[in-house]
């Protein structure tokens, strides 16, 4: 499998990750999948937990989704153009009263 790599200066990594987190709305906390609604909210039964997906994992996933979305949009646009170009849109309509 091919790799697509980018390099980010060490001094800029936090800026890049922070901007992806804010722009793509990464939550700091998420709903606890083990929360028991029949029990009171407590330290042992929190409704929300810290996001288990690190900011770096989130940033990586957003970049992959961005690339994937662009490929999908391009291929759909190309398929529509090809389909449109192959359709015969010529039609003859006559007025029988003339």
């Amino acid at each position: 499998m091919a790799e697509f790599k980018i390099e980010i200066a060490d001094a800029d990594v936090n800026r890049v990750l922070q901007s992806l987190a804010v722009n793509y709305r990464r939550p700091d906390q998420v709903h606890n999948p083990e929360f028991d609604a029949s029990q009171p909210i407590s330290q042992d039964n929190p409704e929300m937990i810290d996001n288990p997906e690190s900011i770096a994992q989130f940033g990586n996933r957003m970049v992959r989704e961005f690339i994937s979305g662009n490929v999908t949009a391009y291929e759909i646009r190309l398929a529509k153009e090809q389909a449109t170009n192959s359709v015969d849109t010529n039609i003859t309509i006559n007025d029988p009263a003339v």
Side-chain angles (χ1 to χ4, degrees), residues 50-67:
D50 290 338
N51 192 335
E53 182 179 43
S54 74
I55 194 168
Q57 291 168 328
F58 178 84
N60 185 287
R61 182 168 59 86
M62 291 301 101
V63 170
R64 289 185 324 225
E65 287 182 14
F66 174 83
I67 292 170

Side-chain angles (χ1 to χ4, degrees), residues 17-89:
L17 293 176
Q18 185 64 30
S19 68
L20 288 167
V22 171
N23 289 335
Y24 287 95
R25 295 177 171 84
R26 177 191 178 268
D28 291 330
Q29 291 200 317
V30 296
H31 289 282
N32 179 5
E34 297 177 10
F35 175 67
D36 183 352
S38 68
Q39 300 295 319
I41 296 173
S42 67
Q43 202 141 9
D44 294 331
N45 186 41
E47 187 174 8
M48 303 293 287
I49 59 171
D50 290 338
N51 192 335
E53 182 179 43
S54 74
I55 194 168
Q57 291 168 328
F58 178 84
N60 185 287
R61 182 168 59 86
M62 291 301 101
V63 170
R64 289 185 324 225
E65 287 182 14
F66 174 83
I67 292 170
S68 178
N70 275 270
V71 171
T72 299
Y74 165 74
E75 290 180 348
I76 288 171
R77 187 176 65 246
L78 186 63
K80 285 179 180 179
E81 288 172 5
Q82 291 171 345
T84 301
N85 291 339
S86 67
V87 173
D88 179 7
T89 58

